[in-house]
Amino acid sequence: MNRTYLRQLLTLNTHQLLITAEGFASAMIEAFPLVAVDGQQPTSFFFDEDPPTYKETSQKALSLLLKNIVARSELQGITITDNFSAEDLPEGSIAYHRIWGFITADCRWYFSSKQFECDLLEAEANPAITCHLLHVNSPGGEAWYLDRLSETMRSLSKPIVSLVEQYNCSASYYITCHSSFIASLTANDTIGCIGTMLEAFNYDGWFEKFGIKRIVARASKSDLKNKKSEDLLNGKTKQYIKEDLDPLNEQFLSAVLAARPQLSNLPEDDPVFRGETFSTPLAIEKGLIDASMTFIEAIAKAIELGNEYAELEKVKKSALNYL
């Protein structure tokens, strides 16, 4: 991996990331797999040579949820689907979107903001679907492309309901703030971390211990090539913060304030806008989320908002017929 290749991350701090089951550690393990040393051999065989994609994992999660939902009498006749383009869906269906673990722009094995955008638009175009349900547990992730995703989410006409389990932080909150209604499952979920940061690691000292000396040569007229990244790795962060992180952060804050106007009642220096995280009660008090409820209650909320949307669409069509 090129040492100067850096990605902007909207993340929790490292300690919090290590707490999550799927997060930054998983991404690092994939990028830097562990290699056996001293001729050690595994004591068992691992046959999963083709691990499931994120989409396949989400489909399995939804199928398990549906098995529990089908037994609830109050949800009889309700269709929750991840087949957004299906032509045989009953009217009033709910689109299920799973935002779980580390957020990337376009990885097949983790949540992809690009794929999510496609899914939203596909569900939006299906007249049988009346509401988007986001099921969320994410510490955050990659910042790139979230500005475009934000534009797309602001253009949607169908309501969005988000239910948070455990974490809704940073890049994840960037996404869910566009919801019509946000709820947390428990009183102990973690919400917020509205801020932008990057962690970079300089391995020069480690390489030097092995006698590996790094040589860099630039063309005479290429004195600025990779300089900003090199300065960052050498602890000179001022330019990188000003030119890369600050603009990303302003985009983030603008999107949040536009989607959650109630937050504008807070002072500019409130911890909400400085990367702080909050438990569910405090997040409700601050206006980051709207309530705490069960998954069944969140589905009921999605049905309620979906029905309101469907009725409004009928009124619009009737009005057009009279014109």
Side-chain angles (χ1 to χ4, degrees), residues 68 91 126 133 166 248 290 297 304:
N68 293 315
E91 185 177 346
N126 192 328
L133 176 61
Q166 196 173 19
L248 282 170
D290 302 297
E297 290 170 334
E304 174 191 336

Side-chain angles (χ1 to χ4, degrees), residues 4-190:
T4 62
Y5 179 71
L6 302 173
R7 286 193 173 190
Q8 294 84 14
L9 300 178
L10 302 179
T11 62
L12 288 173
N13 63 49
T14 305
H15 173 67
Q16 288 169 306
L17 281 171
L18 291 174
I19 295 174
T20 60
E22 299 173 326
F24 187 70
S26 299
M28 293 299 291
I29 288 295
E30 183 179 38
F32 304 102
L34 299 177
V35 179
V37 296
D38 298 330
Q40 293 177 342
Q41 297 296 322
T43 57
S44 183
F45 295 100
F46 184 64
F47 295 102
D48 192 2
E49 296 180 354
D50 186 21
T53 63
Y54 181 84
K55 184 175 182 179
E56 291 168 342
T57 302
S58 296
Q59 290 172 338
K60 182 177 180 180
L62 177 57
S63 67
L64 293 173
L65 286 170
L66 292 177
K67 286 181 180 179
N68 293 315
I69 291 170
V70 73
R72 303 296 293 253
S73 59
E74 66 269 34
L75 297 178
Q76 294 301 312
I78 301 302
T79 298
I80 303 175
T81 182
D82 58 3
N83 187 1
F84 310 120
S85 61
E87 297 180 356
D88 57 347
L89 291 175
E91 185 177 346
S93 295
I94 297 172
Y96 176 84
H97 307 274
R98 191 171 188 259
I99 304 176
W100 222 259
F102 192 71
I103 289 174
T104 70
D106 53 9
C107 179
R108 293 181 62 205
W109 314 109
Y110 296 92
F111 174 85
S112 162
S113 54
K114 281 187 174 182
Q115 182 61 57
F116 178 57
E117 180 184 47
C118 293
D119 292 343
L120 286 170
L121 293 175
E122 195 173 358
E124 192 77 4
N126 192 328
I129 292 175
T130 57
C131 187
H132 303 276
L133 176 61
L134 278 51
H135 194 189
V136 183
N137 183 0
S138 172
E142 187 175 0
W144 187 79
Y145 203 73
L146 291 182
D147 58 330
R148 292 300 185 189
L149 176 59
S150 177
E151 290 175 3
T152 297
M153 295 189 74
R154 290 197 300 269
S155 72
L156 302 178
S157 60
K158 296 176 182 179
I160 302 172
V161 173
S162 289
L163 177 67
V164 177
E165 288 195 28
Q166 196 173 19
Y167 287 103
N168 182 24
C169 294
S170 209
S172 175
Y173 190 81
Y174 200 149
I175 294 171
T176 61
C177 72
H178 297 88
S179 303
S180 311
F181 190 88
I182 309 175
S184 281
L185 183 65
T186 78
N188 303 312
D189 296 324
T190 303

Side-chain angles (χ1 to χ4, degrees), residues 202-213:
N202 188 332
Y203 294 99
D204 286 351
W206 185 77
F207 284 125
E208 288 174 2
K209 289 184 178 180
F210 293 91
I212 301 172
K213 187 175 182 179

